[in-house]
Amino acid sequence: MTVLLEASELFFDYHAHLRRRDPNASWTLRDINVAMPAGSTVGIVGESGSGKSTLVRLLCGLIVQSRGRITFDGRSLTEWLSEDRREFHRRNQIVFQSPASSLDPRLRIKTSLSEPTKALEQRKPEATELRNWLQDVGLSGEVLSRYPHQLSGGQLQRIAVARALSVRPDVLYADEPTSALDVSVQAQVLNLLMGLKHRHGLTLVLVSHDLAVVARVCEQIIVLKDGQVVEAGGTAEVMSDPKTDYTRTLVEASRATSLVRT
Ligand SMILES: Nc1ncnc2c1ncn2[C@@H]1O[C@H](COP(=O)(O)OP(=O)(O)OP(=O)(O)O)[C@@H](O)[C@H]1O
Ligand SMILES: [Mg+2]
């Protein structure tokens, strides 16, 4: 299996400027090592504040690590960002927790949906392309002329997914894509993501605080706690034989919630 994305010995601190004063201050992320095979579905779980979103931002090149190395498709991220920044961002797309944070309330859906193509491919998408992208996520062209406040949370999240996929990425990062939605819509959006992953051969990185969600759809799981990877491995292995007490607690909690749901 080819490794598409690899991070080794990553350290990151939002307060790096204070580190000189206090070299022992804790890192936001410490000594992170992860490898994602092309076409895999990888889940990142951990409690609020454990560093999940920070890790995703680093892997997508939105922020830069203090130490360590990230490699995407055989080239270091530093090289990508200095030589082929647009191509890197085209191939690595994110969907955020709340569609409100990715869709500008002042813009019609048509304008928001066209943005990645304009910015990363420097062309204006055709009307048929816009409609095809919407169809791919189960929406009709009717929504194109609407503003975000005229749509439901589930519809907005579908648009955010269509927008991310419009530039045909290799990796789709979904950072808590369903936590702002109610339970029935959550399942629809997760199923949609899985369907799209298979149809487009994506590598899907799913971030969630809910191990039950991640275990249902991911082949591999990375567990973060206080900025460190405390467990990483195949889903079946992590769920049946967790190596740390922290993961064991998460596994037990996820079993309890699955029982409630069934
Ligand atoms: N822009 C920022 N500036 C300073 N500190 C930040 C910033 N963003 C996050 N942090 C801090 O970094 C740590 C990790 O935050 P992060 O958002 O990555 O966690 P998370 O696991 O995604 O949490 P959640 O589940 O709540 O989304 C937290 O202590 C947080 O307060
Ligand atoms: Mg987060």
Side-chain angles (χ1 to χ4, degrees):
M1 223 184 289
T2 343
V3 172
L4 183 60
L5 193 125
E6 198 166 13
S8 49
E9 295 167 28
L10 274 194
F11 285 72
F12 178 80
D13 194 354
Y14 282 108
H15 305 289
H17 55 290
L18 301 178
R19 184 155 289 281
R20 247 175 267 141
R21 240 188 281 161
D22 180 9
N24 297 320
S26 61
W27 292 89
T28 310
L29 289 176
R30 165 189 285 271
D31 198 14
I32 304 283
N33 295 283
V34 294
M36 304 194 185
S40 60
T41 313
V42 179
I44 303 179
V45 281
E47 63 201 10
S48 183
S50 55
K52 306 181 296 293
S53 298
T54 306
L55 177 57
V56 165
R57 280 183 216 128
L58 278 170
L59 298 178
C60 288
L62 301 180
I63 51 176
V64 178
Q65 68 269 28
S66 313
R67 294 190 211 156
R69 185 179 162 85
I70 300 172
T71 312
F72 172 73
D73 199 12
R75 274 165 83 186
S76 82
L77 188 49
T78 324
E79 199 181 312
W80 273 110
L81 294 180
S82 63
E83 293 170 9
D84 285 308
R85 174 178 284 271
R86 279 202 198 104
E87 181 64 359
F88 178 80
H89 289 310
R90 186 191 71 70
R91 293 178 66 182
N92 291 273
Q93 285 284 309
I94 317 187
V95 174
F96 295 101
Q97 172 167 355
S98 143
S101 51
S102 39
L103 298 172
D104 188 329
R106 296 162 303 179
L107 301 180
R108 287 184 201 275
I109 299 307
K110 181 182 175 181
T111 313
S112 291
L113 199 54
S114 308
E115 250 177 10
T117 307
K118 283 188 190 155
L120 301 174
E121 295 182 12
Q122 294 173 300
R123 65 180 185 92
K124 208 172 151 215
E126 307 282 333
T128 47
E129 288 183 282
L130 293 171
R131 274 194 288 276
N132 287 344
W133 296 338
L134 288 173
Q135 199 179 11
D136 207 20
V137 296
L139 292 174
S140 79
E142 263 172 48
V143 300
L144 286 170
S145 57
R146 298 204 202 154
Y147 288 96
H149 74 269
Q150 297 170 317
L151 294 159
S152 73
Q155 286 174 320
L156 289 175
Q157 199 56 305
R158 283 171 191 267
I159 291 164
V161 172
R163 186 173 183 267
L165 294 185
S166 67
V167 286
R168 305 171 317 280
D170 296 339
V171 190
L172 181 69
Y173 290 90
D175 189 354
E176 302 266 12
T178 59
S179 51
L181 307 172
D182 67 49
V183 178
S184 60
V185 184
Q186 279 182 12
Q188 288 171 15
V189 171
L190 270 183
N191 289 340
L192 171 72
L193 281 173
M194 292 315 291
L196 291 166
K197 182 223 133 62
H198 290 296
R199 278 211 295 286
H200 297 288
L202 297 166
T203 302
L204 179 67
V205 181
L206 180 67
V207 174
S208 176
H209 58 272
D210 188 344
L211 180 62
V213 166
V214 162
R216 208 162 67 219
V217 299
C218 297
E219 295 145 5
Q220 286 192 50
I221 296 183
I222 295 166
V223 182
L224 279 183
K225 184 173 188 321
D226 300 331
Q228 282 181 279
V229 174
V230 292
E231 185 123 10
T235 300
E237 184 192 330
V238 170
M239 295 302 283
S240 63
D241 184 20
K243 300 281 175 288
T244 62
D245 287 344
Y246 180 69
T247 315
R248 200 163 301 122
T249 318
L250 289 184
V251 170
E252 278 159 16
S254 78
R255 291 224 175 91
T257 48
S258 322
L259 283 178
V260 171
R261 278 181 200 150
T262 47

